[in-house]
Amino acid sequence: MASPQSSKAPKTTSSEVTRRELLEVAAVTGGMLVGGHLMPTGASPAAAQAPGPSPAPLKVALRVNGTDHHLTLDPRTTLLDALREHLHLTGSKKGCGLGQCGACTVLIDGKRVKSCLSLAALVDGREIMTIEGLAQGEQLHPLQAAFIERDAFQCGYCTPGQIMAGVACIAEGHAGSPQEIRDWMSGNLCRCGAYDHIVAAIQDAARVSGTVRGG
Ligand code: FES
Ligand code: FES
């Protein structure tokens, strides 16, 4: 079985990277890490607001991936919209917007959270991590590397949420078997049906992190 840190790890510094390699790295980093440059991921539409008079804006301090951001937001702004529309961190995806698909999963104080269901104003001062903050420089997180090694995505839309949820799943100690991983990852849907590969990638990364025995 291949290790997630095998020679197939992405060549993010090579000038000879192929389009496939660029797409792979973009999928697992939310478009952040492509040859050390930000890869455009497309602008998303402005947050839809309910009709009627707007409430007074709120000052909100968001600490995201170790950086403090001071924003003035409509108090109804979700964390997902704050990340995508205001901080331009578009790795977290808006799938359903209803808490059902997991595409928007981020970590708050190390716990996985569906950011479409969280109000930005309520996570003021908490430690938020998005897919853009997972790699250390050009060194992918073991689970990002495992997703590439295991071909754990097709279109890649669900991938940032799967990876953030997978990181939490491993940290929680819920990656002891394929069935346990499936159970604890059931809140993250993949329209492309890459589940077998996602489970294999999480198993690989869990072994690397030492949270499971053998396998
Ligand atoms: S976009 Fe948040 S759960 Fe689907
Ligand atoms: S890879 Fe396409 S939705 Fe999961």
Side-chain angles (χ1 to χ4, degrees):
M1 178 175 49
S3 158
Q5 293 185 324
S6 75
S7 60
K8 202 184 168 190
K11 307 179 189 73
T12 55
T13 57
S14 168
S15 60
E16 298 287 330
V17 290
T18 66
R19 182 171 179 277
R20 173 65 186 170
E21 286 171 328
L22 284 173
L23 291 173
E24 285 176 337
V25 175
V28 302
T29 64
M32 194 66 186
L33 184 65
V34 176
H37 300 287
L38 182 67
M39 184 176 182
T41 51
S44 53
Q49 301 291 350
S54 295
L58 277 182
K59 290 189 183 304
V60 178
L62 292 183
R63 183 165 179 78
V64 183
N65 301 329
T67 301
D68 291 317
H69 301 273
H70 298 276
L71 303 173
T72 301
L73 299 174
D74 183 310
R76 299 167 295 182
T77 305
T78 65
L79 175 58
L80 178 61
D81 284 341
L83 293 170
R84 292 183 56 88
E85 314 295 341
H86 295 268
L87 300 181
H88 309 294
L89 293 170
T90 55
S92 305
K93 298 294 187 271
K94 184 179 281 187
C96 63
L98 298 169
Q100 295 174 352
C101 73
C104 63
T105 304
V106 301
L107 303 185
I108 299 180
D109 296 336
K111 308 287 186 205
R112 46 179 146 172
V113 168
K114 290 172 178 171
S115 60
C116 70
L117 294 184
S118 299
L119 290 177
L122 295 182
V123 295
D124 184 305
R126 309 273 295 276
E127 200 71 43
I128 300 160
M129 178 177 281
T130 71
I131 189 73
E132 291 91 345
L134 205 52
Q136 298 292 315
E138 294 191 348
Q139 180 68 45
L140 294 180
H141 184 282
L143 187 54
Q144 291 174 307
F147 262 66
I148 292 175
E149 182 69 23
R150 289 290 192 170
D151 261 333
F153 52 86
Q154 292 181 34
C155 77
Y157 197 80
C158 73
T159 306
Q162 298 279 3
I163 290 176
M164 298 311 288
V167 167
C169 181
I170 293 168
E172 293 159 7
H174 294 141
S177 70
Q179 189 57 51
E180 186 179 24
I181 293 170
R182 285 179 184 278
D183 290 345
W184 287 90
M185 291 292 293
S186 62
N188 287 77
L189 306 182
C190 175
R191 288 182 308 179
C192 300
Y195 295 111
D196 288 348
H197 297 246
I198 291 169
V199 169
I202 293 173
Q203 278 192 289
D204 287 351
R207 287 194 194 98
V208 169
S209 71
T211 59
V212 292
R213 305 156 301 283

PDB file of all heavy atoms in Angstrom, residues 20-50:
ATOM      1  N   ARG A  20      -2.993  18.274 -14.560  1.00  0.00           N
ATOM      2  CA  ARG A  20      -3.581  17.366 -13.574  1.00  0.00           C
ATOM      3  C   ARG A  20      -3.021  17.633 -12.187  1.00  0.00           C
ATOM      4  O   ARG A  20      -3.758  17.677 -11.199  1.00  0.00           O
ATOM      5  CB  ARG A  20      -3.309  15.912 -14.000  1.00  0.00           C
ATOM      6  CG  ARG A  20      -3.728  14.859 -12.967  1.00  0.00           C
ATOM      7  CD  ARG A  20      -5.222  14.845 -12.749  1.00  0.00           C
ATOM      8  NE  ARG A  20      -5.588  13.942 -11.661  1.00  0.00           N
ATOM      9  CZ  ARG A  20      -6.797  13.875 -11.127  1.00  0.00           C
ATOM     10  NH1 ARG A  20      -7.771  14.645 -11.588  1.00  0.00           N
ATOM     11  NH2 ARG A  20      -7.052  13.045 -10.159  1.00  0.00           N
ATOM     12  N   GLU A  21      -1.704  17.828 -12.112  1.00  0.00           N
ATOM     13  CA  GLU A  21      -1.090  18.095 -10.808  1.00  0.00           C
ATOM     14  C   GLU A  21      -1.606  19.407 -10.235  1.00  0.00           C
ATOM     15  O   GLU A  21      -1.883  19.513  -9.043  1.00  0.00           O
ATOM     16  CB  GLU A  21       0.432  18.127 -10.933  1.00  0.00           C
ATOM     17  CG  GLU A  21       1.031  16.748 -11.113  1.00  0.00           C
ATOM     18  CD  GLU A  21       2.504  16.787 -11.456  1.00  0.00           C
ATOM     19  OE1 GLU A  21       2.941  17.745 -12.122  1.00  0.00           O
ATOM     20  OE2 GLU A  21       3.212  15.861 -11.062  1.00  0.00           O
ATOM     21  N   LEU A  22      -1.753  20.420 -11.080  1.00  0.00           N
ATOM     22  CA  LEU A  22      -2.286  21.697 -10.601  1.00  0.00           C
ATOM     23  C   LEU A  22      -3.697  21.527 -10.048  1.00  0.00           C
ATOM     24  O   LEU A  22      -4.040  22.060  -8.995  1.00  0.00           O
ATOM     25  CB  LEU A  22      -2.308  22.723 -11.735  1.00  0.00           C
ATOM     26  CG  LEU A  22      -0.972  23.341 -12.111  1.00  0.00           C
ATOM     27  CD1 LEU A  22      -1.126  24.192 -13.360  1.00  0.00           C
ATOM     28  CD2 LEU A  22      -0.421  24.172 -10.972  1.00  0.00           C
ATOM     29  N   LEU A  23      -4.517  20.751 -10.774  1.00  0.00           N
ATOM     30  CA  LEU A  23      -5.890  20.544 -10.331  1.00  0.00           C
ATOM     31  C   LEU A  23      -5.928  19.765  -9.024  1.00  0.00           C
ATOM     32  O   LEU A  23      -6.738  20.040  -8.142  1.00  0.00           O
ATOM     33  CB  LEU A  23      -6.684  19.812 -11.415  1.00  0.00           C
ATOM     34  CG  LEU A  23      -6.947  20.636 -12.684  1.00  0.00           C
ATOM     35  CD1 LEU A  23      -7.593  19.768 -13.749  1.00  0.00           C
ATOM     36  CD2 LEU A  23      -7.812  21.842 -12.379  1.00  0.00           C
ATOM     37  N   GLU A  24      -5.027  18.771  -8.897  1.00  0.00           N
ATOM     38  CA  GLU A  24      -4.992  17.979  -7.666  1.00  0.00           C
ATOM     39  C   GLU A  24      -4.654  18.871  -6.476  1.00  0.00           C
ATOM     40  O   GLU A  24      -5.324  18.833  -5.441  1.00  0.00           O
ATOM     41  CB  GLU A  24      -3.938  16.869  -7.779  1.00  0.00           C
ATOM     42  CG  GLU A  24      -4.361  15.716  -8.667  1.00  0.00           C
ATOM     43  CD  GLU A  24      -3.251  14.692  -8.833  1.00  0.00           C
ATOM     44  OE1 GLU A  24      -2.065  15.054  -8.647  1.00  0.00           O
ATOM     45  OE2 GLU A  24      -3.567  13.541  -9.158  1.00  0.00           O
ATOM     46  N   VAL A  25      -3.617  19.692  -6.625  1.00  0.00           N
ATOM     47  CA  VAL A  25      -3.195  20.538  -5.508  1.00  0.00           C
ATOM     48  C   VAL A  25      -4.264  21.582  -5.211  1.00  0.00           C
ATOM     49  O   VAL A  25      -4.552  21.889  -4.056  1.00  0.00           O
ATOM     50  CB  VAL A  25      -1.837  21.195  -5.805  1.00  0.00           C
ATOM     51  CG1 VAL A  25      -1.463  22.153  -4.701  1.00  0.00           C
ATOM     52  CG2 VAL A  25      -0.770  20.122  -5.953  1.00  0.00           C
ATOM     53  N   ALA A  26      -4.881  22.115  -6.261  1.00  0.00           N
ATOM     54  CA  ALA A  26      -5.943  23.106  -6.042  1.00  0.00           C
ATOM     55  C   ALA A  26      -7.095  22.501  -5.253  1.00  0.00           C
ATOM     56  O   ALA A  26      -7.666  23.136  -4.361  1.00  0.00           O
ATOM     57  CB  ALA A  26      -6.445  23.645  -7.371  1.00  0.00           C
ATOM     58  N   ALA A  27      -7.434  21.244  -5.564  1.00  0.00           N
ATOM     59  CA  ALA A  27      -8.563  20.606  -4.886  1.00  0.00           C
ATOM     60  C   ALA A  27      -8.289  20.422  -3.404  1.00  0.00           C
ATOM     61  O   ALA A  27      -9.158  20.663  -2.574  1.00  0.00           O
ATOM     62  CB  ALA A  27      -8.884  19.256  -5.531  1.00  0.00           C
ATOM     63  N   VAL A  28      -7.093  19.993  -3.050  1.00  0.00           N
ATOM     64  CA  VAL A  28      -6.829  19.669  -1.639  1.00  0.00           C
ATOM     65  C   VAL A  28      -6.398  20.878  -0.820  1.00  0.00           C
ATOM     66  O   VAL A  28      -6.319  20.795   0.399  1.00  0.00           O
ATOM     67  CB  VAL A  28      -5.780  18.539  -1.486  1.00  0.00           C
ATOM     68  CG1 VAL A  28      -6.256  17.292  -2.199  1.00  0.00           C
ATOM     69  CG2 VAL A  28      -4.406  18.966  -1.948  1.00  0.00           C
ATOM     70  N   THR A  29      -6.096  21.993  -1.471  1.00  0.00           N
ATOM     71  CA  THR A  29      -5.712  23.185  -0.706  1.00  0.00           C
ATOM     72  C   THR A  29      -6.724  24.307  -0.868  1.00  0.00           C
ATOM     73  O   THR A  29      -6.511  25.410  -0.391  1.00  0.00           O
ATOM     74  CB  THR A  29      -4.333  23.716  -1.147  1.00  0.00           C
ATOM     75  OG1 THR A  29      -4.410  24.147  -2.512  1.00  0.00           O
ATOM     76  CG2 THR A  29      -3.268  22.652  -0.993  1.00  0.00           C
ATOM     77  N   GLY A  30      -7.827  24.041  -1.536  1.00  0.00           N
ATOM     78  CA  GLY A  30      -8.812  25.084  -1.768  1.00  0.00           C
ATOM     79  C   GLY A  30      -8.322  26.117  -2.760  1.00  0.00           C
ATOM     80  O   GLY A  30      -8.788  27.252  -2.775  1.00  0.00           O
ATOM     81  N   GLY A  31      -7.368  25.734  -3.587  1.00  0.00           N
ATOM     82  CA  GLY A  31      -6.847  26.651  -4.601  1.00  0.00           C
ATOM     83  C   GLY A  31      -5.744  27.538  -4.084  1.00  0.00           C
ATOM     84  O   GLY A  31      -5.230  28.383  -4.794  1.00  0.00           O
ATOM     85  N   MET A  32      -5.360  27.344  -2.821  1.00  0.00           N
ATOM     86  CA  MET A  32      -4.397  28.256  -2.187  1.00  0.00           C
ATOM     87  C   MET A  32      -2.982  27.975  -2.623  1.00  0.00           C
ATOM     88  O   MET A  32      -2.206  28.886  -2.880  1.00  0.00           O
ATOM     89  CB  MET A  32      -4.503  28.116  -0.672  1.00  0.00           C
ATOM     90  CG  MET A  32      -3.830  29.220   0.091  1.00  0.00           C
ATOM     91  SD  MET A  32      -4.673  30.774  -0.206  1.00  0.00           S
ATOM     92  CE  MET A  32      -3.583  31.911   0.647  1.00  0.00           C
ATOM     93  N   LEU A  33      -2.629  26.702  -2.696  1.00  0.00           N
ATOM     94  CA  LEU A  33      -1.224  26.359  -2.864  1.00  0.00           C
ATOM     95  C   LEU A  33      -0.989  25.765  -4.243  1.00  0.00           C
ATOM     96  O   LEU A  33      -1.159  24.583  -4.457  1.00  0.00           O
ATOM     97  CB  LEU A  33      -0.808  25.349  -1.787  1.00  0.00           C
ATOM     98  CG  LEU A  33       0.647  24.947  -1.750  1.00  0.00           C
ATOM     99  CD1 LEU A  33       1.511  26.139  -1.389  1.00  0.00           C
ATOM    100  CD2 LEU A  33       0.841  23.847  -0.732  1.00  0.00           C
ATOM    101  N   VAL A  34      -0.663  26.598  -5.165  1.00  0.00           N
ATOM    102  CA  VAL A  34      -0.318  26.106  -6.491  1.00  0.00           C
ATOM    103  C   VAL A  34       0.959  26.822  -6.888  1.00  0.00           C
ATOM    104  O   VAL A  34       0.962  27.978  -7.264  1.00  0.00           O
ATOM    105  CB  VAL A  34      -1.428  26.375  -7.512  1.00  0.00           C
ATOM    106  CG1 VAL A  34      -0.992  25.926  -8.893  1.00  0.00           C
ATOM    107  CG2 VAL A  34      -2.691  25.617  -7.120  1.00  0.00           C
ATOM    108  N   GLY A  35       2.065  26.101  -6.744  1.00  0.00           N
ATOM    109  CA  GLY A  35       3.349  26.707  -7.057  1.00  0.00           C
ATOM    110  C   GLY A  35       3.639  27.914  -6.175  1.00  0.00           C
ATOM    111  O   GLY A  35       4.360  28.822  -6.557  1.00  0.00           O
ATOM    112  N   GLY A  36       3.060  27.918  -4.966  1.00  0.00           N
ATOM    113  CA  GLY A  36       3.298  29.023  -4.054  1.00  0.00           C
ATOM    114  C   GLY A  36       2.452  30.235  -4.341  1.00  0.00           C
ATOM    115  O   GLY A  36       2.572  31.266  -3.695  1.00  0.00           O
ATOM    116  N   HIS A  37       1.554  30.139  -5.311  1.00  0.00           N
ATOM    117  CA  HIS A  37       0.727  31.286  -5.668  1.00  0.00           C
ATOM    118  C   HIS A  37      -0.731  30.959  -5.426  1.00  0.00           C
ATOM    119  O   HIS A  37      -1.151  29.816  -5.428  1.00  0.00           O
ATOM    120  CB  HIS A  37       0.924  31.645  -7.143  1.00  0.00           C
ATOM    121  CG  HIS A  37       2.338  32.003  -7.466  1.00  0.00           C
ATOM    122  ND1 HIS A  37       2.907  33.187  -7.070  1.00  0.00           N
ATOM    123  CD2 HIS A  37       3.298  31.304  -8.112  1.00  0.00           C
ATOM    124  CE1 HIS A  37       4.168  33.211  -7.482  1.00  0.00           C
ATOM    125  NE2 HIS A  37       4.430  32.081  -8.113  1.00  0.00           N
ATOM    126  N   LEU A  38      -1.513  32.007  -5.258  1.00  0.00           N
ATOM    127  CA  LEU A  38      -2.950  31.838  -5.109  1.00  0.00           C
ATOM    128  C   LEU A  38      -3.549  31.533  -6.462  1.00  0.00           C
ATOM    129  O   LEU A  38      -3.355  32.254  -7.422  1.00  0.00           O
ATOM    130  CB  LEU A  38      -3.561  33.116  -4.549  1.00  0.00           C
ATOM    131  CG  LEU A  38      -5.054  33.088  -4.277  1.00  0.00           C
ATOM    132  CD1 LEU A  38      -5.335  32.118  -3.132  1.00  0.00           C
ATOM    133  CD2 LEU A  38      -5.540  34.472  -3.915  1.00  0.00           C
ATOM    134  N   MET A  39      -4.291  30.416  -6.521  1.00  0.00           N
ATOM    135  CA  MET A  39      -4.943  30.049  -7.768  1.00  0.00           C
ATOM    136  C   MET A  39      -6.371  30.560  -7.733  1.00  0.00           C
ATOM    137  O   MET A  39      -7.107  30.241  -6.812  1.00  0.00           O
ATOM    138  CB  MET A  39      -4.944  28.525  -7.923  1.00  0.00           C
ATOM    139  CG  MET A  39      -5.523  28.058  -9.231  1.00  0.00           C
ATOM    140  SD  MET A  39      -5.380  26.275  -9.369  1.00  0.00           S
ATOM    141  CE  MET A  39      -6.075  26.038 -11.011  1.00  0.00           C
ATOM    142  N   PRO A  40      -6.780  31.357  -8.705  1.00  0.00           N
ATOM    143  CA  PRO A  40      -8.134  31.888  -8.658  1.00  0.00           C
ATOM    144  C   PRO A  40      -9.152  30.765  -8.612  1.00  0.00           C
ATOM    145  O   PRO A  40      -9.030  29.791  -9.341  1.00  0.00           O
ATOM    146  CB  PRO A  40      -8.269  32.675  -9.959  1.00  0.00           C
ATOM    147  CG  PRO A  40      -6.874  32.923 -10.402  1.00  0.00           C
ATOM    148  CD  PRO A  40      -6.056  31.783  -9.901  1.00  0.00           C
ATOM    149  N   THR A  41     -10.125  30.890  -7.755  1.00  0.00           N
ATOM    150  CA  THR A  41     -11.164  29.874  -7.659  1.00  0.00           C
ATOM    151  C   THR A  41     -12.526  30.421  -8.045  1.00  0.00           C
ATOM    152  O   THR A  41     -13.527  29.752  -7.923  1.00  0.00           O
ATOM    153  CB  THR A  41     -11.245  29.328  -6.227  1.00  0.00           C
ATOM    154  OG1 THR A  41     -11.331  30.419  -5.328  1.00  0.00           O
ATOM    155  CG2 THR A  41     -10.044  28.485  -5.910  1.00  0.00           C
ATOM    156  N   GLY A  42     -12.586  31.633  -8.505  1.00  0.00           N
ATOM    157  CA  GLY A  42     -13.851  32.173  -8.970  1.00  0.00           C
ATOM    158  C   GLY A  42     -14.562  32.944  -7.885  1.00  0.00           C
ATOM    159  O   GLY A  42     -14.565  32.564  -6.723  1.00  0.00           O
ATOM    160  N   ALA A  43     -15.135  34.042  -8.273  1.00  0.00           N
ATOM    161  CA  ALA A  43     -15.859  34.846  -7.299  1.00  0.00           C
ATOM    162  C   ALA A  43     -17.209  34.217  -7.034  1.00  0.00           C
ATOM    163  O   ALA A  43     -17.830  33.649  -7.915  1.00  0.00           O
ATOM    164  CB  ALA A  43     -16.028  36.258  -7.815  1.00  0.00           C
ATOM    165  N   SER A  44     -17.639  34.263  -5.818  1.00  0.00           N
ATOM    166  CA  SER A  44     -18.953  33.747  -5.488  1.00  0.00           C
ATOM    167  C   SER A  44     -19.913  34.918  -5.335  1.00  0.00           C
ATOM    168  O   SER A  44     -19.506  36.035  -5.055  1.00  0.00           O
ATOM    169  CB  SER A  44     -18.898  32.922  -4.216  1.00  0.00           C
ATOM    170  OG  SER A  44     -18.309  33.671  -3.193  1.00  0.00           O
ATOM    171  N   PRO A  45     -21.200  34.685  -5.522  1.00  0.00           N
ATOM    172  CA  PRO A  45     -22.158  35.777  -5.444  1.00  0.00           C
ATOM    173  C   PRO A  45     -22.239  36.356  -4.050  1.00  0.00           C
ATOM    174  O   PRO A  45     -21.931  35.691  -3.069  1.00  0.00           O
ATOM    175  CB  PRO A  45     -23.480  35.104  -5.840  1.00  0.00           C
ATOM    176  CG  PRO A  45     -23.255  33.664  -5.582  1.00  0.00           C
ATOM    177  CD  PRO A  45     -21.810  33.396  -5.830  1.00  0.00           C
ATOM    178  N   ALA A  46     -22.659  37.583  -3.964  1.00  0.00           N
ATOM    179  CA  ALA A  46     -22.810  38.225  -2.657  1.00  0.00           C
ATOM    180  C   ALA A  46     -23.855  37.488  -1.848  1.00  0.00           C
ATOM    181  O   ALA A  46     -24.771  36.864  -2.375  1.00  0.00           O
ATOM    182  CB  ALA A  46     -23.228  39.674  -2.842  1.00  0.00           C
ATOM    183  N   ALA A  47     -23.681  37.538  -0.546  1.00  0.00           N
ATOM    184  CA  ALA A  47     -24.620  36.836   0.333  1.00  0.00           C
ATOM    185  C   ALA A  47     -26.023  37.385   0.147  1.00  0.00           C
ATOM    186  O   ALA A  47     -26.240  38.593   0.109  1.00  0.00           O
ATOM    187  CB  ALA A  47     -24.181  37.020   1.784  1.00  0.00           C
ATOM    188  N   ALA A  48     -26.947  36.468   0.010  1.00  0.00           N
ATOM    189  CA  ALA A  48     -28.342  36.900  -0.116  1.00  0.00           C
ATOM    190  C   ALA A  48     -28.837  37.377   1.236  1.00  0.00           C
ATOM    191  O   ALA A  48     -28.598  36.741   2.253  1.00  0.00           O
ATOM    192  CB  ALA A  48     -29.190  35.737  -0.598  1.00  0.00           C
ATOM    193  N   GLN A  49     -29.478  38.486   1.258  1.00  0.00           N
ATOM    194  CA  GLN A  49     -30.005  39.027   2.497  1.00  0.00           C
ATOM    195  C   GLN A  49     -31.517  39.006   2.430  1.00  0.00           C
ATOM    196  O   GLN A  49     -32.115  39.216   1.391  1.00  0.00           O
ATOM    197  CB  GLN A  49     -29.518  40.459   2.708  1.00  0.00           C
ATOM    198  CG  GLN A  49     -28.009  40.598   2.753  1.00  0.00           C
ATOM    199  CD  GLN A  49     -27.384  39.958   4.006  1.00  0.00           C
ATOM    200  OE1 GLN A  49     -28.099  39.584   4.918  1.00  0.00           O
ATOM    201  NE2 GLN A  49     -26.081  39.801   4.000  1.00  0.00           N
ATOM    202  N   ALA A  50     -32.119  38.772   3.566  1.00  0.00           N
ATOM    203  CA  ALA A  50     -33.579  38.773   3.622  1.00  0.00           C
ATOM    204  C   ALA A  50     -34.073  40.186   3.358  1.00  0.00           C
ATOM    205  O   ALA A  50     -33.398  41.162   3.685  1.00  0.00           O
ATOM    206  CB  ALA A  50     -34.024  38.310   4.998  1.00  0.00           C
TER     207      ALA A  50
END
